[in-house]
Amino acid sequence: LNHNAFAKAKQRLQNQAKPPGSLGMMEEIGARLAAIKGTIDVHLTNKQIITCAGDHGVVEEGVSAFPAEVTPQMVLNFVGGGAAVNVMGKHAGARVKAADIGVNYDFDPDLPIFHKKVRHGTDNFTKGPAMTREEAVKSIEAGIEIVNELHAQTPVDLLGTGDMGIGNTTPSTAIIAAFSGLSVERLTGRGSGVDDKGLAQKIAVIQKGLDINKPDPKDPLDVLAKVGGLEIGGLAGLVIGAAAKGIPVICDGLISTAGALIACELAPAAKNYLFASHKSVEIGHKYMQDHMGLEPLIDFKFRLGEGTGAAVCMELLDLATRILADIKTFDEVGISTNS
Amino acid sequence: LNHNAFAKAKQRLQNQAKPPGSLGMMEEIGARLAAIKGTIDVHLTNKQIITCAGDHGVVEEGVSAFPAEVTPQMVLNFVGGGAAVNVMGKHAGARVKAADIGVNYDFDPDLPIFHKKVRHGTDNFTKGPAMTREEAVKSIEAGIEIVNELHAQTPVDLLGTGDMGIGNTTPSTAIIAAFSGLSVERLTGRGSGVDDKGLAQKIAVIQKGLDINKPDPKDPLDVLAKVGGLEIGGLAGLVIGAAAKGIPVICDGLISTAGALIACELAPAAKNYLFASHKSVEIGHKYMQDHMGLEPLIDFKFRLGEGTGAAVCMELLDLATRILADIKTFDEVGISTNS
């Protein structure tokens, strides 16, 4: 981080023709982006959203309102451009690309997605680990490789993370339960919309996964392997890869934030590059953000994923850069500052 | 309001390839805009922000951190394009124009603003009414005329309101105190940044204004005339004028919302066209929104005015229209909806 640019940003914001601090969170974000980019005139031109996809063996326990085959169908929908993240990414001026980290389907190799499949979905974590430690590492490496490939083509100015994976609020909730030690009951939400019976089942399934696998919260790879998911590993890799290249990264909802949490547990400095987008309806999300000390920007009652919350906040981070650079100071416009 | 378009919007949102309701407030806003515009494919092409300016006699009581001459200076800053609302309006794709409703300064008649001066600032409301009832009516008519003139040039798709007037959190707080009956102490904030002594003085000044003038909460014109402001009347007129033409209108912070409150007390149906933008740091704002039953979209700790919060939310309303119209349904993309 560039402390000189941060100080310059703070000073400019203080001298702009407005009451000091009166643009609240936008000012803080602008200053953070200046520190990351090393300039007070930041331009977030190349915005990219990567939606990591994976399947989950635990779906056979009846934890989701949707069937597993929706995962590959939605990946095709992302390619077609008609999904929520496409529409919202377009509005934000961002390119959206899906990544297969662990979908239980063989995509056409010519499909314009990142082909990074580690395996065809995880195992059911109520019966043993979701994946091996080696597979967990590979899933993280997949995310890092995606950032490196994208950034080598055209330098990425802002990265947004998103997820697709039927059942993936279950491993994400298991992850925050493992790290926080809070009760599964307190952390578990309805995901894409299970009823009361489904919610009780989901809580029992997560508890069983934790009891059987005993993930070690001091070992983030152990947590990811035992109760995580392949796309969650990919999402962790995106955050680590972006931070390593100095790219600011906005994480989306429960699943993306589970990935960011794994990333920050592995590499705490990654947090300097991380922005929380929204506060999800999924209750576990708040506990993840608390655990990482991240403050969400918006609270629109989203519970969709895909990168939709990240897309909204890309526009807002862009706005923060213009606020910092383009609002003139009292001196620049010659206005009195006291009576 | 078009109930058929509203029902169609609700149905489409329900059938889109995502868990129903998973885009929360964006879905509600999209459906409301469909009802206002009578179509589910709304395009908010011509976005306009009008920043109404006025001066306040009560400033001589020491209620503001800035001197009164900043009001005309900031109007010139808006014309120059370097103010916060210009930068943020530009980001939202909105045109920004200032309106002189009651600034204590004679602008060049060729200055590209709306020239609608009712008088050179209000009187000090601790010594009698801020203005006459006739002047209050004229200030509202000024706002209505502005909408009519703008809309006659090019139909306005979305209007944002904003304010400029040194000292104007004082009359705005007096207005919500008059309508709500809540204590002045509870409703008063620091405006552009008074210290503890200034805050105590501001509370005493507002209380004195209410005690001396006894505004009648059943008579919104009486409230506006006795403890209001000229730009606040203009802001009320913008809301009434927009609602009359079927134009959705986003109101900004404490002062814009004071105007919207006067508008809705005079013409309750105007509320159907009204959107709250942000939750201001100014505590009285929350009570205004509660009084009108409006839910703010963002909470960025803004306390600037000018239309800056409205500008941010213009982008978000625009996004809501694309979410409604452009995200495809499960049928359109051929995805399973149950197992």
Side-chain angles (χ1 to χ4, degrees):
Chain A
L1 297 183
N2 185 321
H3 296 285
N4 186 36
F6 184 76
K8 270 192 189 164
K10 284 285 189 184
Q11 193 183 19
R12 181 170 179 86
L13 290 162
Q14 196 70 14
N15 293 331
Q16 284 172 334
K18 58 182 178 54
S22 59
L23 287 176
M25 293 173 83
M26 285 287 112
E27 299 194 19
E28 290 167 33
I29 288 172
R32 275 194 68 197
L33 287 167
I36 291 172
K37 298 286 188 178
T39 171
I40 62 165
D41 190 15
V42 174
H43 290 269
L44 301 174
T45 309
N46 183 15
K47 304 188 192 73
Q48 297 274 352
I49 296 172
I50 301 298
T51 305
C52 292
D55 275 309
H56 300 271
V58 75
V59 164
E60 70 190 21
E61 302 294 329
V63 290
S64 178
F66 287 89
E69 61 260 33
V70 170
T71 306
Q73 288 171 334
M74 283 302 296
V75 170
L76 297 173
N77 194 16
F78 299 144
V79 173
V85 69
N86 301 108
V87 170
M88 296 169 74
K90 186 179 172 191
H91 197 268
R95 273 178 279 189
V96 174
K97 203 163 169 180
D100 172 18
I101 314 291
V103 181
N104 188 17
Y105 180 85
D106 290 309
F107 294 106
D108 181 333
D110 291 333
L111 195 72
I113 62 172
F114 285 98
H115 296 273
K116 299 282 180 186
K117 196 192 296 293
V118 175
R119 51 178 279 192
H120 288 76
T122 55
D123 289 327
N124 179 345
F125 72 37
T126 66
K127 297 174 178 172
M131 63 185 110
T132 67
R133 190 175 180 96
E134 290 65 37
E135 287 161 346
V137 170
K138 272 191 192 164
S139 70
I140 294 174
E141 286 172 345
I144 296 172
E145 284 167 21
I146 289 168
V147 176
N148 290 348
E149 289 168 25
L150 263 181
H151 198 62
Q153 276 168 26
T154 311
V156 177
D157 297 311
L158 180 61
L159 186 73
T161 67
D163 72 288
M164 182 66 224
I166 296 303
N168 64 9
T169 61
T170 292
S172 300
T173 305
I175 287 170
I176 181 60
F179 284 119
S180 70
L182 295 170
S183 80
V184 173
E185 207 162 356
R186 189 163 163 186
L187 294 169
T188 305
R190 290 174 191 272
S192 56
V194 293
D195 58 14
D196 288 352
K197 199 182 145 199
L199 181 62
Q201 168 70 1
K202 191 172 164 183
I203 291 168
V205 161
I206 294 168
Q207 191 62 57
K208 194 169 172 193
L210 293 168
D211 291 346
I212 285 188
N213 291 294
K214 297 185 178 49
D216 176 3
K218 295 203 170 52
D219 181 356
L221 284 174
D222 190 61
V223 174
L224 176 61
K226 285 179 173 166
V227 297
L230 294 151
E231 80 278 43
I232 297 171
L235 288 157
L238 290 181
V239 172
I240 292 171
K245 297 282 183 199
I247 302 167
V249 52
I250 307 183
C251 69
D252 193 37
L254 188 78
I255 296 91
S256 287
T257 309
L261 180 52
I262 299 280
C264 291
E265 293 285 328
L266 284 169
K271 226 194 76 181
N272 292 327
Y273 298 87
L274 194 60
F275 293 82
S277 59
H278 71 117
K279 179 183 172 187
S280 171
V281 171
E282 276 288 306
I283 183 66
H285 196 213
K286 175 195 156 22
Y287 291 98
M288 291 175 179
Q289 290 172 335
D290 287 353
H291 192 85
M292 288 193 277
L294 291 174
E295 197 180 354
L297 194 53
I298 57 171
D299 180 8
F300 287 180
K301 321 295 176 207
F302 282 4
R303 50 182 177 82
L304 174 52
E306 296 182 9
T308 50
V312 177
C313 292
M314 283 185 146
E315 307 189 44
L316 298 172
L317 263 62
D318 205 37
L319 176 62
T321 69
R322 297 342 306 150
I323 285 172
L324 171 56
D326 296 344
I327 296 177
K328 294 200 171 148
T329 64
F330 281 113
D331 276 356
E332 283 165 3
V333 293
I335 291 185
S336 346
T337 51
N338 49 49
S339 13
Chain B
L1 297 184
N2 186 318
H3 296 286
N4 186 36
F6 184 76
K8 270 192 188 164
K10 285 284 189 185
Q11 193 183 17
R12 179 169 182 85
L13 289 163
Q14 197 69 14
N15 293 331
Q16 284 172 335
K18 58 182 178 52
S22 59
L23 287 176
M25 293 173 83
M26 285 288 113
E27 298 193 19
E28 291 167 31
I29 288 172
R32 275 193 69 196
L33 287 168
I36 291 171
K37 299 284 189 180
T39 170
I40 61 165
D41 190 13
V42 174
H43 290 269
L44 302 174
T45 309
N46 182 14
K47 303 188 193 74
Q48 296 275 352
I49 296 172
I50 302 296
T51 305
C52 292
D55 275 308
H56 300 271
V58 74
V59 164
E60 68 189 20
E61 302 293 329
V63 291
S64 177
F66 287 88
E69 61 260 33
V70 170
T71 304
Q73 288 172 334
M74 283 301 297
V75 170
L76 297 173
N77 194 15
F78 299 146
V79 173
V85 70
N86 301 107
V87 170
M88 296 167 74
K90 186 179 171 190
H91 197 268
R95 271 179 282 187
V96 174
K97 203 164 171 182
D100 172 17
I101 314 292
V103 180
N104 187 18
Y105 180 85
D106 290 308
F107 293 106
D108 181 334
D110 291 335
L111 194 73
I113 63 173
F114 286 99
H115 295 274
K116 299 283 180 186
K117 196 192 295 294
V118 175
R119 52 178 278 191
H120 289 76
T122 55
D123 289 326
N124 180 344
F125 72 38
T126 65
K127 297 175 177 170
M131 64 185 109
T132 67
R133 192 175 178 95
E134 290 66 37
E135 287 162 347
V137 170
K138 272 191 192 165
S139 70
I140 293 173
E141 286 172 347
I144 297 172
E145 284 167 22
I146 289 168
V147 176
N148 290 350
E149 289 168 25
L150 264 181
H151 197 62
Q153 276 169 25
T154 312
V156 176
D157 297 311
L158 180 61
L159 185 72
T161 66
D163 73 287
M164 182 66 224
I166 296 303
N168 64 10
T169 61
T170 292
S172 300
T173 305
I175 287 170
I176 180 61
F179 284 119
S180 70
L182 295 170
S183 80
V184 173
E185 206 162 357
R186 189 162 162 188
L187 295 169
T188 306
R190 291 173 190 272
S192 55
V194 292
D195 58 14
D196 287 352
K197 201 183 142 197
L199 181 61
Q201 167 70 1
K202 191 172 163 183
I203 290 168
V205 161
I206 294 168
Q207 191 61 57
K208 195 171 171 189
L210 293 168
D211 291 346
I212 284 188
N213 291 293
K214 298 186 178 47
D216 177 4
K218 296 208 169 50
D219 181 357
L221 285 174
D222 190 60
V223 175
L224 177 61
K226 285 180 173 165
V227 298
L230 294 151
E231 80 278 42
I232 296 171
L235 288 157
L238 290 180
V239 172
I240 293 171
K245 297 280 183 201
I247 302 166
V249 52
I250 308 182
C251 70
D252 193 38
L254 187 77
I255 295 92
S256 288
T257 309
L261 180 53
I262 298 280
C264 291
E265 293 286 328
L266 284 169
K271 227 193 76 181
N272 291 329
Y273 298 87
L274 194 61
F275 292 82
S277 58
H278 70 116
K279 179 183 172 190
S280 171
V281 170
E282 277 288 305
I283 183 67
H285 197 213
K286 175 194 156 21
Y287 291 99
M288 291 175 179
Q289 288 171 336
D290 287 353
H291 192 84
M292 288 193 278
L294 292 173
E295 197 180 357
L297 194 53
I298 57 170
D299 180 8
F300 286 0
K301 320 296 177 207
F302 281 4
R303 50 182 177 82
L304 175 51
E306 297 182 9
T308 49
V312 177
C313 292
M314 283 185 147
E315 307 188 44
L316 299 172
L317 264 61
D318 204 38
L319 176 62
T321 69
R322 296 344 305 150
I323 285 172
L324 171 56
D326 297 343
I327 295 177
K328 294 199 170 150
T329 64
F330 280 114
D331 276 356
E332 283 165 1
V333 294
I335 291 184
S336 346
T337 52
N338 48 49
S339 13

